[in-house]
Amino acid sequence: MILRYLIERGQSSRMEIVRHTKLAQSAIWRIMNELVNEGLVQERGFTTGKRRKPVIYGPTRSFITSVVYNVEVLETLVAIGFLDGSWKVIERFPTPPNFELFKESVKMSFEKIIKEKTIRKDITKIVFSLPGMVNYEKKLLIFAPNLSWKNIDFQQEFVDLNMEVFVENDANLSLMAEQFFSQDVKRSKVAFFLYFGEGIGGAISVDGSIVRGKNSAAGEIGHVTFNGDKNEIESFLSISRLIDKVQKWIGNNDSPLEEKFQRLKRLWFIGQRDVKKILEDYLHHVAVVLRDLVYFLNPDVIILGGLINDIYETFGPYIRRELETITEKEILTGVVIRDSIFKEVPPSLVGGNVLVIENVLKTL
């Protein structure tokens, strides 16, 4: 309870922790000493504005909690995470065309990290965020269609790294990150994360727990059919496919998907007619999917994000108008639709570190 409070609320004095937890002062003093001795909490300085200044404490940054490999079809981001919830991107490399080459890239990357960073064998974990169906408990990638990877036991494949491996779907990790840092998701009974990348993914939480389903396929909205049996939602909402349609206007180069999307936005704002028509058709399909989510799940919050984290900020008024023309007003009332709070990195990367923090809190 105390460590979670410090991670979620930031650094605090012992008396602030007493007021929040309602535990006895003697218990707080004893537990804080144990946390400091265990290297999980450290002194961060003194409070300001008082003659006698109490010591303030925060989660340690003396070791990394996680090494996160955020795998997308075109690029893999590598980040390290810390116990206070912060993270730092340290490397990126093109995702290799086959898994064996990917494995070699990860091993070289990890060897470099452990030479330069401090880890704790009892806490630090390797996390893979993957764009596909994942069995979290078995550490198994069932299928990642856009990568053509299937039935891969990640713990076994990376056993020679001598570290515990976590594997999770990118949309699930994104929702975990929002749940950890966002008050509206914390308070929600039902929340949904719509993940935009080369493909499209989704994640559901009910009463604070991620719903994975019997065969780990819950939330996989990209494979739901749309306008006919052969047309999956992914074919309408994939950012990569959208970019392909406007390629001749934005230029054909090897820049990241996010940069191409920024050029697409500029063409929208200046009113380029052909691009505007293609994009409005795309946004109509976004509105239709949101309508289906509202009717099917009746969520408190729907979050849009992934590789692109400003879709609603940019196109929200248009999406909302489309949504209101096809959805009963009473059904939409009170449903929050917004972008992810994480703008600079894929929220799944943040979620990888959150996954390890939650594991620490459960196993202390």
Side-chain angles (χ1 to χ4, degrees):
M1 184 195 302
I2 294 169
L3 189 54
R4 180 180 289 276
Y5 173 80
L6 289 171
I7 293 170
E8 293 184 353
R9 300 293 184 91
Q11 54 194 29
S12 301
S13 69
R14 296 189 194 206
M15 287 309 299
E16 287 172 327
I17 299 170
V18 169
R19 284 193 293 272
H20 172 78
T21 62
K22 306 293 192 277
L23 294 173
Q25 287 190 34
S26 58
I28 297 294
W29 260 244
R30 176 179 57 79
I31 294 168
M32 287 297 292
N33 287 338
E34 290 177 3
L35 288 170
V36 170
N37 291 336
E38 285 291 322
L40 300 174
V41 167
Q42 62 187 31
E43 294 183 7
R44 291 285 183 83
F46 300 90
T47 57
T48 58
K50 295 181 180 179
R51 190 170 297 172
R52 185 179 178 185
K53 298 177 179 179
V55 176
I56 55 175
Y57 297 86
T60 184
R61 285 177 57 94
S62 61
F63 61 88
I64 61 174
T65 48
S66 61
V67 180
V68 182
Y69 292 90
N70 194 82
V71 182
E72 296 286 351
V73 176
L74 299 178
E75 184 178 60
T76 296
L77 282 180
V78 187
I80 54 176
F82 300 92
L83 193 59
D84 63 356
S86 63
W87 66 91
K88 181 182 179 182
V89 176
I90 58 171
E91 185 185 357
R92 59 183 71 213
F93 57 81
T95 303
N98 65 64
F99 182 76
E100 289 304 315
L101 289 175
F102 172 76
K103 189 161 71 168
E104 290 306 311
S105 296
V106 169
K107 288 180 179 180
M108 287 189 292
S109 164
F110 185 72
E111 286 170 7
K112 181 180 177 183
I113 290 169
I114 60 173
K115 285 179 183 176
E116 298 176 354
K117 308 294 179 183
T118 303
I119 65 169
R120 275 186 55 166
K121 282 284 189 178
D122 59 330
I123 291 179
T124 310
K125 306 287 188 287
I126 303 173
V127 183
F128 292 94
S129 167
L130 299 168
M133 286 181 281
V134 172
N135 186 315
Y136 169 71
E137 286 78 15
K138 293 183 178 180
K139 308 177 189 294
L140 175 72
L141 172 65
I142 299 168
F143 187 34
N146 292 325
L147 289 169
S148 299
W149 296 355
K150 197 170 187 178
N151 295 326
I152 299 173
D153 182 334
F154 271 70
Q155 185 67 66
Q156 186 59 41
E157 292 289 346
F158 293 100
V159 67
D160 53 348
L161 297 183
N162 298 312
M163 296 286 292
E164 185 176 5
V165 168
F166 288 167
V167 186
E168 183 56 284
N169 167 267
D170 50 12
N172 285 349
L173 288 174
S174 298
L175 189 49
M176 285 180 204
E178 290 284 342
Q179 199 161 263
F180 197 84
F181 288 102
S182 304
Q183 290 302 313
D184 58 353
V185 181
K186 277 185 196 295
R187 293 191 298 265
S188 69
K189 289 188 175 298
V190 180
F192 190 89
F193 196 104
L194 188 59
Y195 193 96
F196 291 84
E198 280 95 2
I200 195 82
I204 309 164
S205 74
V206 176
D207 292 331
S209 297
I210 298 294
V211 179
R212 294 185 173 89
K214 180 177 175 57
N215 297 309
S216 305
E220 286 288 352
I221 194 168
H223 299 295
V224 175
T225 56
F226 199 64
N227 283 3
D229 291 343
K230 295 184 179 179
N231 294 314
E232 293 186 341
I233 283 176
E234 181 163 303
S235 66
F236 291 91
L237 296 195
S238 162
I239 297 290
S240 288
R241 297 192 190 198
L242 171 63
I243 295 298
D244 288 342
K245 290 179 182 178
V246 298
Q247 196 75 66
K248 68 178 182 180
W249 293 285
I250 66 172
N252 189 10
N253 56 45
D254 295 328
S255 57
L257 195 66
E258 302 93 303
E259 289 183 22
K260 292 179 179 179
F261 190 76
Q262 294 306 313
R263 290 201 291 275
L264 171 61
K265 282 167 51 179
R266 286 194 289 272
L267 291 172
W268 158 274
F269 284 123
I270 66 174
Q272 210 288 341
R273 187 177 61 183
D274 297 305
V275 171
K276 202 168 183 329
K277 174 68 179 68
I278 292 169
L279 194 48
E280 286 178 356
D281 188 50
Y282 176 86
L283 296 174
H284 170 74
H285 287 121
V286 171
V288 171
V289 170
L290 291 175
R291 172 191 182 274
D292 290 346
L293 287 171
V294 169
Y295 274 102
F296 187 63
L297 292 175
N298 195 21
D300 302 271
V301 188
I302 300 175
I303 304 154
L304 282 57
L307 290 184
I308 308 299
N309 294 309
D310 61 352
I311 289 176
Y312 205 72
E313 176 186 325
T314 307
F315 306 114
Y318 187 91
I319 294 171
R320 194 79 193 186
R321 283 196 302 273
E322 290 289 299
L323 186 56
E324 287 172 352
T325 63
I326 58 177
T327 313
E328 294 293 332
K329 181 179 179 181
E330 293 77 11
I331 302 297
L332 279 176
T333 301
V335 177
V336 173
I337 302 173
R338 63 167 175 84
D339 291 316
S340 171
I341 62 172
F342 307 103
K343 301 301 182 186
E344 305 303 321
V345 295
S348 50
L349 184 149
V350 182
N353 190 44
V354 167
L355 184 66
V356 177
I357 290 173
E358 290 287 5
N359 179 261
V360 171
L361 293 171
K362 288 175 183 174
T363 56
L364 269 180

